[in-house]
C-alpha cells in the first residue's frame, strides 16, 4: 500500500486538478481527480441513513466508529473506522471526505470534495433507491454549478471518480428471503436482471457527465459471518452455493463493463474486485495478518436485520478490531478495508491515468 501511495502521489504532482477559471483563480490541489462521487449501499454509506427517519439500517450507535480517526464515535459508517472509499480518497490526495449528501454539512466548499449518495439497504432491484440517488445527484450538479459556475462544474464532474457499490442486499436481503422473487427467477436470470439495471444506471451516469466509473464486484456472499450463520447449516466454513451466486453475478458484470467501455469510447470504467481479497481474508485470515474471520468483532443480534448488524442492546466488543476480518455480520473492519482498498486502487489506476 505504501508503494502504491507513493506512485499515486507522483502521478498527482504531474496531473494536478485544474484550477477553476475566473473569480480569483482558485487553488490547485495535489489530487489526481477533483472529486469522488459515490452511489450504493451500506458498503459506502457515510451516514445518509442517519437523515432518513424511516431507515431501518443505521450505524449511528456505538460500537460503530470506535476507531474512526480522532472522533472515535459513530458517523454512520458500517465499520469500526474507515471504509474503502475513505481510504481511496486519501490515496488520491484528499485531506477530507465528502459528507453524507443528506447532511447539513453538504454545502459550500464541501461540495468541491464530491458527494456521497449511498444509503444502507439500497440495491439494484430497488429502483426507488436508485431513482432517489440519481435525483440527489442532479441536485448536486445544480448546487455545484451555482458555487463555481457551469463551466467549472462540468469539468469537475467529467474528471471526478464515480464509485458504484451495491448488490449484496439484492441477495441477502431480497433473493434469499423473498420466495416470490426466487420462484420467478433462477440465479442466472436474476443476475441478468440485476446486471441490466446496473447497465442502465451506468448509461444514465454517462449521460449526466460521468467519464470515470468504478463499480465493485459482489463480495464472497457465502463467507460473510451472517450468511454462514443463516445458511451454513451449522458448519463454520464458507457457503459455496452463495459464493457461486456471487461469481455468477461477477462474471456477468465483467462482460457488461467491457461492453460499456466499447459503447462509450470516452468512458473509463473498471471493476473494483472486492471478492478476491475478502475471500482470501475469510479463508486464510492468518496469511493476511488477522486472527479471526468467522466471528465478528461486535456482538450481533439474533433476529431480523440485527443478525447483520452490531446489537445496540449489548456492549459486546472485541479488544482489537484489527484482529478481525469482519466488524459485524456483513461489513469488514477498517483493517480489512485497508486490504480491500489496496486491491481496488490497483485495479482503478486505469481510471485516473
Amino acid at each position: 500500500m505504501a508503494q502504491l501511495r507513493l506512485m499515486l502521489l507522483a502521478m498527482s504532482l504531474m496531473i494536478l486538478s485544474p484550477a477553476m477559471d475566473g473569480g480569483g483563480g482558485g487553488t490547485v490541489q495535489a489530487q489526481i481527480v477533483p472529486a469522488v462521487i459515490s452511489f450504493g449501499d451500506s458498503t459506502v454509506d457515510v451516514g445518509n441513513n442517519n437523515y432518513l427517519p424511516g431507515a431501518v439500517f443505521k450505524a449511528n450507535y456505538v460500537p460503530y466508529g470506535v476507531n474512526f480517526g480522532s472522533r472515535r464515535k459513530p458517523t454512520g459508517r458500517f465499520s469500526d473506522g474507515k471504509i474503502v472509499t475513505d481510504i481511496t480518497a486519501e490515496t488520491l490526495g484528499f485531506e477530507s471526505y465528502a459528507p453524507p449528501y443528506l447532511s447539513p454539512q453538504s454545502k459550500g466548499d464541501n461540495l468541491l470534495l464530491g458527494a456521497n449518495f449511498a444509503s444502507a439497504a439500497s440495491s439494484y432491484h430497488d429502483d426507488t433507491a436508485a431513482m432517489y440517488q440519481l435525483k440527489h445527484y442532479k441536485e448536486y450538479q445544480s448546487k455545484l454549478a451555482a458555487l463555481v459556475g457551469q463551466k467549472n462544474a462540468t469539468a469537475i464532474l467529467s474528471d471526478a471518480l464515480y464509485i458504484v457499490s451495491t448488490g449484496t442486499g439484492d441477495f441477502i436481503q431480497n433473493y434469499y428471503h423473498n420466495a416470490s422473487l426466487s420462484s420467478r427467477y433462477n440465479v442466472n436470470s436474476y443476475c441478468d436482471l440485476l446486471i441490466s439495471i446496473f447497465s442502465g444506471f451506468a448509461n444514465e451516469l454517462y449521460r449526466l457527465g460521468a467519464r470515470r466509473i468504478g463499480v465493485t464486484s459482489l463480495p464472497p456472499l457465502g463467507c460473510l459471518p451472517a450468511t454462514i450463520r443463516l445458511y451454513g447449516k451449522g458448519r463454520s466454513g464458507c457457503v459455496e452455493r452463495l459464493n457461486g451466486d456471487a461469481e455468477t453475478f461477477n462474471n456477468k458484470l465483467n462482460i457488461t463493463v467491457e461492453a460499456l467501455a466499447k459503447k462509450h469510447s470516452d468512458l473509463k470504467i473498471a471493476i473494483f474486485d472486492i471478492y478476491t481479497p475478502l475471500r482470501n481474508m475469510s479463508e486464510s485470515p492468518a496469511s493476511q495478518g488477522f486472527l479471526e474471520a468467522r466471528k465478528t468483532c461486535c456482538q450481533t443480534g439474533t433476529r431480523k436485520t440485527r443478525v447483520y448488524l452490531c446489537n445496540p442492546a449489548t456492549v459486546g466488543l472485541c479488544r482489537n478490531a484489527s484482529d478481525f476480518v469482519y466488524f459485524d455480520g456483513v461489513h469488514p473492519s477498517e483493517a480489512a478495508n485497508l486490504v480491500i482498498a489496496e486491491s481496488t486502487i490497483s485495479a482503478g489506476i486505469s481510471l485516473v491515468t
Side-chain angles (χ1 to χ4, degrees), residues 124 164 166 192-205 213-216 249 252-253 256-257 260 269-271:
Y124 285 121
V164 179
T166 193
D192 285 338
L193 173 66
L194 300 182
I195 291 295
S196 69
I197 295 170
F198 160 72
S199 181
F201 187 85
N203 278 311
E204 180 65 5
L205 279 183
I213 301 174
V215 56
T216 63
F249 177 91
K252 292 177 182 291
L253 183 64
T256 300
V257 163
L260 286 166
I269 185 168
I271 292 176

Side-chain angles (χ1 to χ4, degrees), residues 57 168-183 190 226-227 229-231 241-242 245 302-308 330:
F57 287 85
T168 300
D170 284 294
F171 287 89
I172 68 173
Q173 294 162 217
N174 297 335
Y175 190 74
Y176 298 146
H177 285 284
N178 188 332
S180 173
L181 195 61
S182 58
S183 65
Y190 185 59
T227 56
R229 182 175 174 182
L230 291 170
Y231 308 108
R241 175 176 64 87
L242 306 192
D245 295 345
T302 57
R303 295 187 305 166
K304 297 182 179 180
T305 61
R306 290 305 173 194
V307 73
Y308 304 123
V330 176

Side-chain angles (χ1 to χ4, degrees), residues 109-159:
D109 286 349
N110 280 341
L111 297 176
L112 298 174
L113 298 169
N116 185 300
F117 307 102
S119 174
S122 296
S123 63
Y124 285 121
H125 194 254
D126 180 4
D127 56 356
T128 302
M131 178 186 70
Y132 274 106
Q133 290 190 30
L134 282 175
K135 175 187 175 183
H136 292 146
Y137 173 60
K138 293 173 184 176
E139 290 178 354
Y140 167 73
Q141 288 182 312
S142 298
K143 291 179 181 178
L144 188 64
L147 181 67
V148 300
Q150 187 61 58
K151 181 180 178 180
N152 291 321
T154 299
I156 291 171
L157 294 169
S158 64
D159 286 338

Side-chain angles (χ1 to χ4, degrees), residues 40-55:
D41 57 18
S42 59
T43 56
V44 289
D45 186 356
V46 294
N48 280 305
N49 272 25
N50 291 352
Y51 301 92
L52 293 174

Side-chain angles (χ1 to χ4, degrees), residues 75-312:
T75 64
R77 290 165 172 81
F78 289 78
S79 185
D80 61 302
K82 298 172 186 174
I83 58 176
V84 171
T85 48
D86 297 328
I87 301 161
T88 300
E90 290 177 356
T91 306
L92 292 174
F94 289 82
E95 296 181 355
S96 55
Y97 319 120
Y101 181 73
L102 298 181
S103 73
Q105 289 73 43
S106 187
K107 62 183 179 180
D109 286 349
N110 280 341
L111 297 176
L112 298 174
L113 298 169
N116 185 300
F117 307 102
S119 174
S122 296
S123 63
Y124 285 121
H125 194 254
D126 180 4
D127 56 356
T128 302
M131 178 186 70
Y132 274 106
Q133 290 190 30
L134 282 175
K135 175 187 175 183
H136 292 146
Y137 173 60
K138 293 173 184 176
E139 290 178 354
Y140 167 73
Q141 288 182 312
S142 298
K143 291 179 181 178
L144 188 64
L147 181 67
V148 300
Q150 187 61 58
K151 181 180 178 180
N152 291 321
T154 299
I156 291 171
L157 294 169
S158 64
D159 286 338
L161 173 62
Y162 293 75
I163 297 174
V164 179
S165 181
T166 193
T168 300
D170 284 294
F171 287 89
I172 68 173
Q173 294 162 217
N174 297 335
Y175 190 74
Y176 298 146
H177 285 284
N178 188 332
S180 173
L181 195 61
S182 58
S183 65
R184 281 184 289 147
Y185 301 97
N186 60 29
V187 170
N188 192 63
S189 60
Y190 185 59
C191 287
D192 285 338
L193 173 66
L194 300 182
I195 291 295
S196 69
I197 295 170
F198 160 72
S199 181
F201 187 85
N203 278 311
E204 180 65 5
L205 279 183
Y206 177 85
R207 188 187 71 81
L208 293 171
R211 293 298 182 268
R212 306 171 190 257
I213 301 174
V215 56
T216 63
S217 67
L218 282 187
L221 296 173
C223 294
L224 306 178
T227 56
I228 292 175
R229 182 175 174 182
L230 291 170
Y231 308 108
K233 298 180 179 179
R235 296 187 291 270
S236 62
C238 297
V239 183
E240 288 308 313
R241 175 176 64 87
L242 306 192
N243 281 346
D245 295 345
E247 290 170 5
T248 297
F249 177 91
N250 291 341
N251 289 336
K252 292 177 182 291
L253 183 64
N254 283 329
I255 294 170
T256 300
V257 163
E258 291 177 1
L260 286 166
K262 290 179 180 179
K263 179 179 180 181
H264 305 295
S265 60
D266 59 340
L267 173 65
K268 293 183 178 182
I269 185 168
I271 292 176
F272 292 161
D273 175 20
I274 64 174
Y275 180 95
T276 302
L278 194 50
R279 180 159 187 172
N280 289 341
M281 285 186 282
S282 297
E283 295 185 331
S284 303
S287 67
Q288 304 289 324
F290 295 93
L291 299 180
E292 181 60 65
R294 291 294 172 261
K295 295 179 181 178
T296 59
C297 177
C298 74
Q299 184 174 336
T300 58
T302 57
R303 295 187 305 166
K304 297 182 179 180
T305 61
R306 290 305 173 194
V307 73
Y308 304 123
L309 305 181
C310 299
N311 190 344

